[in-house]
Amino acid sequence: MTERDVQNWLDEYGRAWVNGDPDQVVRLFSDTATYRETPFDDPMRGRHEIREYWQNNAADAQENVEFTSQIWAVRNDIAIAGWQARFTEKATGARVELDGMFRLVFSSEQGAFQCTILEEWWHSKES
């Protein structure tokens, strides 16, 4: 796994968020992937739960999304990355800024470069 592999994955993740496309998001994950939004939440398991989360919490709830990311470290199959996002909450019109980090574990099984574990930590500011 190279930094380019990870950056390509992050770029696609960002495009999926900007486009509000949960189907595009789940293609980035293995069938059995886990996705933990915060350290205190139980992880979502598998593409179905990840897709449902993205549909309800991003596609249906956010618009005018912007996303950037930076790779901080890559070692073996693990990557650490920072990310920033801005979006408008559809329900309230509030503008939200997020600053976070990912711990990502990847697999290249069956020729596809997919995330098997995503753990994130983030802070938000609303204006």
Side-chain angles (χ1 to χ4, degrees):
M1 177 174 84
T2 67
E3 283 192 22
R4 173 61 23 215
D5 294 328
V6 176
Q7 190 62 60
N8 289 342
W9 189 94
L10 289 165
D11 291 347
E12 188 65 22
Y13 180 94
R15 275 190 294 280
W17 194 352
V18 167
N19 294 334
D21 188 343
D23 293 325
Q24 188 178 359
V25 170
V26 297
R27 285 192 292 272
L28 298 169
F29 292 89
S30 69
D31 292 334
T32 58
T34 59
Y35 188 117
R36 188 182 303 260
E37 183 185 17
T38 73
F40 301 110
D41 292 337
D42 290 332
M44 291 160 262
R45 297 184 181 281
R47 286 181 170 168
H48 175 76
E49 288 185 16
I50 295 168
R51 188 194 184 290
E52 184 176 338
Y53 165 79
W54 273 91
Q55 183 68 55
N56 295 333
N57 296 291
D60 293 345
Q62 303 169 358
E63 58 189 0
N64 305 317
V65 177
E66 302 170 38
F67 178 85
T68 59
S69 63
Q70 314 78 42
I71 297 170
W72 294 343
V74 174
R75 183 171 182 198
N76 299 324
D77 61 352
I78 298 172
I80 307 297
W83 59 268
Q84 298 73 41
R86 293 184 181 134
F87 58 84
T88 303
E89 287 184 347
K90 289 181 180 179
T92 66
R95 192 71 178 154
V96 177
E97 292 182 57
L98 301 175
D99 192 335
M101 62 142 317
F102 288 136
R103 178 183 173 273
L104 305 163
V105 180
F106 291 98
S107 172
S108 295
E109 292 179 16
Q110 301 172 355
F113 184 74
Q114 296 178 316
C115 185
T116 59
I117 300 171
L118 180 147
E119 297 168 327
E120 65 182 334
W121 294 263
W122 49 267
H123 292 277
S124 65
K125 178 173 84 169
E126 199 171 301
S127 56

